[in-house]
Amino acid sequence: MLPEDEIVRVCALVVSTATGVDPLAHLDVAKGKPQLQYARALWVHLVVGECNINRGRCSYLCQRSLESIRVNLREVEEWRSDPAFDAAMERWAGQTKRLIELVFDVTLLAPPPPAHRERMATRAALTERAA
């Protein structure tokens, strides 16, 4: 499974593509404009509701209070009563899951970095051959 911080980044990418506001770029802003608040609510919903990261971890990873996480989740659930918004949210959730699968597949293809001892042995062998 991907590290949680990578999942949070993928969710932020989907939200910034959908809304034009990158929630990761505004972590230091406490409240922000309505567009930022909307993007954060979507972001939190994707992280908690679609990617199954618990609220406490989301609070830590997204640098938001537990209260703001709760409020964001409640807001998005209220907005989902609108069929157009609900369809858009389903699309965004699907795209998020596909991106996570894509990133996960790519990380499986990349070989792990060699261990320090292995690198040192290779370096010593190359130095010995060069001499």
Side-chain angles (χ1 to χ4, degrees):
M1 188 66 190
L2 278 178
E4 291 174 334
D5 56 336
E6 293 299 321
I7 292 171
V8 168
R9 276 190 268 248
V10 169
C11 292
L13 174 66
V14 170
V15 168
S16 64
T17 302
T19 64
V21 178
D22 183 5
L24 282 176
H26 303 285
L27 288 177
D28 57 338
V29 177
K31 191 157 175 124
K33 295 181 178 181
Q35 297 92 340
L36 177 59
Q37 293 175 17
Y38 177 71
R40 280 185 181 152
L42 297 178
W43 183 40
V44 165
H45 179 76
L46 287 175
V47 170
V48 175
E50 302 300 333
C51 297
N52 299 321
I53 293 178
N54 70 46
R55 293 176 186 200
R57 290 296 298 157
C58 179
S59 172
Y60 173 76
L61 294 165
C62 299
Q63 299 179 17
R64 313 303 318 150
S65 69
L66 283 171
E67 178 63 21
S68 66
I69 300 290
R70 186 185 62 76
V71 167
N72 290 151
L73 292 171
R74 188 184 69 232
E75 286 174 339
V76 173
E77 287 306 316
E78 288 174 8
W79 298 337
R80 291 194 84 161
S81 63
D82 176 21
F85 178 82
D86 187 52
M89 195 73 228
E90 287 298 321
R91 255 191 338 273
W92 297 330
Q95 294 298 348
T96 300
K97 290 174 183 174
R98 279 190 283 286
L99 277 171
I100 288 171
E101 288 172 0
L102 178 65
V103 171
F104 184 65
D105 285 346
V106 169
T107 59
L108 285 179
L109 295 175
H116 179 71
R117 176 174 278 190
E118 197 176 313
R119 286 193 315 264
M120 295 305 290
T122 303
R123 184 179 294 157
L126 289 173
T127 305
E128 192 174 296
R129 278 189 216 161

